[in-house]
């Protein structure tokens, strides 16, 4: 099982090919490493919106078979030519059109940075639910639009979701026999050479101060929840994201107010 020699790096602004030194690649690859925790050697995996296939290839080392799917036939042709393994299949799948041959076919489905490109998130999530086997797991990620910016700043995105907004939608669709865990990924898009020392002392102090305030309020006062609908609350929260670049993924308590990770991740486990 091998990938051919790496071709020249390409990046369109949304999709990259063999661009391992970019922050976008580092953040994305961290999600695939996170997904590895939920799969086994006997599993059949679906990587939907696989892009240039680096994540599909990585997960293929830890499962029985994996299907890398994407809407773009050109990128699928690239993956079929670039990655050679009996465990890997690449196929075109439309995000809101169910392919009957895949119904109840997969133990694990990963869908990273896909939801924001779909016109109907509800239809797409129901599609993933149909593809999942009993006791299977869906792992998905999407940008956390905590400022409710419409249209989204990213021109490639149709709609972005605030973390709690998306949690309610997922809980509605996966209401019975499913357990939902929520995670965040903190990344601010700063270049790799930005260090803590280069962030202004004033901003650093503000970040530390507000973190203390949120921590004390969460434990004792519960006052911030009363103003979380206000625009000023969201603006202040943006200060938390002025930090050095980090691909780290961490568990989130959905009941906690002021959830501002850059990326929201959901692990949806079918317990039936």
């Amino acid at each position: 099982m091998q990938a051919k020699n790496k071709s020249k790096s390409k990046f369109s602004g949304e999709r990259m090919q063999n661009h391992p030194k970019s922050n976008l690649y580092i953040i994305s690859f961290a999600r695939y490493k996170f997904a590895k925790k939920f799969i086994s050697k006997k599993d059949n995996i679906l990587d939907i919106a696989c892009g240039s296939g680096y994540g599909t290839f990585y997960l293929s080392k830890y499962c029985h078979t994996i299907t890398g799917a994407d809407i773009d036939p050109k990128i699928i042709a690239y993956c079929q030519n670039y990655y050679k393994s009996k465990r890997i299949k690449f196929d075109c799948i439309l995000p809101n059109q169910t392919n009957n041959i895949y119904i109840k076919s997969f133990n694990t489905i990963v869908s990273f940075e896909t939801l924001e490109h779909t016109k109907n998130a509800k239809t797409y999530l129901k599609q993933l639910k149909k593809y999942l086997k009993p006791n299977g797991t869906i792992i998905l990620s999407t940008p956390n639009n905590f400022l409710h910016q419409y249209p989204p700043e990213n021109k490639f995105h149709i709609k972005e979701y605030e973390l709690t907004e998306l949690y309610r939608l997922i809980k509605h669709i996966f209401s019975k026999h499913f357990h939902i865990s929520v995670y965040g990924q903190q990344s601010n898009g700063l270049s790799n050479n930005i260090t803590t020392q280069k962030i202004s002392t004033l901003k650093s102090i503000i970040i530390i101060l507000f973190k203390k305030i949120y921590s004390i309020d969460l434990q004792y006062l519960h006052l911030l929840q009363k103003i979380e609908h206000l625009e000023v609350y969201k603006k202040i929260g943006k200060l938390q994201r002025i930090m050095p670049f980090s691909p780290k993924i961490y568990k989130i308590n959905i009941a906690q107010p002021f959830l501002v990770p850059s990326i929201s991740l959901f692990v949806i486990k079918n317990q039936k």
Side-chain angles (χ1 to χ4, degrees):
M1 178 170 59
Q2 62 182 1
K4 294 183 178 180
N5 291 334
K6 292 183 178 180
S7 60
K8 187 178 179 180
S9 297
K10 299 177 182 179
F11 179 54
S12 70
E14 180 68 9
R15 188 199 296 281
M16 93 285 285
Q17 292 182 3
N18 301 317
H19 206 274
K21 293 185 179 180
S22 74
N23 284 348
L24 184 60
Y25 180 93
I26 293 168
I27 294 167
S28 175
F29 201 73
R31 292 191 283 268
Y32 282 103
K33 287 184 176 180
F34 174 75
K36 182 174 75 74
K37 302 175 184 178
F38 300 92
I39 67 176
S40 73
K41 281 288 186 180
K42 297 180 180 180
D43 286 351
N44 298 317
I45 311 297
L46 173 63
D47 179 14
I48 194 163
C50 66
S52 53
Y54 56 89
T56 308
F57 179 72
Y58 171 76
L59 291 181
S60 71
K61 303 171 187 178
Y62 305 100
C63 65
H64 179 60
T65 62
I66 186 165
T67 299
D70 203 276
I71 194 174
D72 185 352
K74 290 183 179 179
I75 202 68
I76 290 299
Y78 166 86
C79 291
Q80 289 170 339
N81 180 62
Y82 192 75
Y83 299 102
K84 302 297 182 181
S85 170
K86 293 181 179 179
R87 297 180 188 174
I88 305 176
K89 171 186 174 183
F90 289 101
D91 193 11
C92 281
I93 295 181
L94 298 177
N96 287 322
Q97 182 177 320
T98 301
N99 190 325
N100 290 331
I101 67 170
Y102 291 133
I103 291 178
K104 294 186 178 180
S105 295
F106 301 103
N107 304 97
T108 306
I109 298 172
V110 295
S111 177
F112 296 144
E113 309 305 280
T114 316
L115 204 65
E116 65 274 15
H117 298 277
T118 64
K119 293 181 179 180
N120 191 321
K122 189 174 183 180
T123 301
Y124 177 69
L125 291 170
K126 286 182 176 180
Q127 177 192 28
L128 297 187
K129 187 177 180 181
K130 290 178 183 177
Y131 291 160
L132 195 65
K133 285 184 176 183
N135 296 313
T137 302
I138 297 171
I139 308 164
L140 63 87
S141 72
T142 191
N144 176 28
N145 189 352
F146 76 105
L147 286 177
H148 299 281
Q149 293 177 327
Y150 295 106
E153 185 176 348
N154 189 317
K155 66 180 182 179
F156 296 99
H157 297 177
I158 296 173
K159 178 177 172 58
E160 294 179 350
Y161 297 83
E162 188 268 330
L163 189 153
T164 53
E165 170 194 14
L166 184 55
Y167 175 77
R168 289 192 293 269
L169 177 60
I170 290 173
K171 192 173 182 180
H172 173 71
I173 294 172
F174 299 91
S175 55
K176 293 183 179 180
H177 312 299
F178 285 88
H179 179 266
I180 303 167
S181 300
V182 186
Y183 296 81
Q185 188 175 28
Q186 191 71 49
S187 60
N188 58 12
L190 296 176
S191 60
N192 282 336
N193 61 356
I194 297 294
T195 63
T196 305
Q197 288 74 25
K198 290 184 179 181
I199 298 175
S200 72
T201 303
L202 178 59
K203 284 183 178 178
S204 298
I205 293 172
I206 291 173
I207 290 168
I208 295 170
L209 177 62
F210 275 105
K211 277 185 169 292
K212 290 290 185 182
I213 292 173
Y214 299 142
S215 176
I216 293 171
D217 181 79
L218 181 64
Q219 189 172 1
Y220 301 109
L221 304 175
H222 308 292
L223 297 176
L224 288 174
Q225 295 180 57
K226 296 179 181 179
I227 64 165
E228 63 182 348
H229 64 286
L230 300 178
E231 189 66 22
V232 66
Y233 181 90
K234 299 182 180 71
K235 294 293 185 183
I236 293 172
K238 197 171 184 179
L239 290 169
Q240 289 191 35
R241 298 175 68 174
I242 307 173
M243 296 182 179
F245 166 81
S246 172
K248 183 179 179 180
I249 294 172
Y250 52 93
K251 188 77 177 284
I252 283 178
N253 177 3
I254 195 64
Q256 179 179 335
F258 221 87
L259 303 170
V260 291
S262 295
I263 303 294
S264 307
L265 292 96
F266 296 84
V267 177
I268 308 164
K269 173 70 176 177
N270 186 352
Q271 297 179 314
K272 186 175 180 181

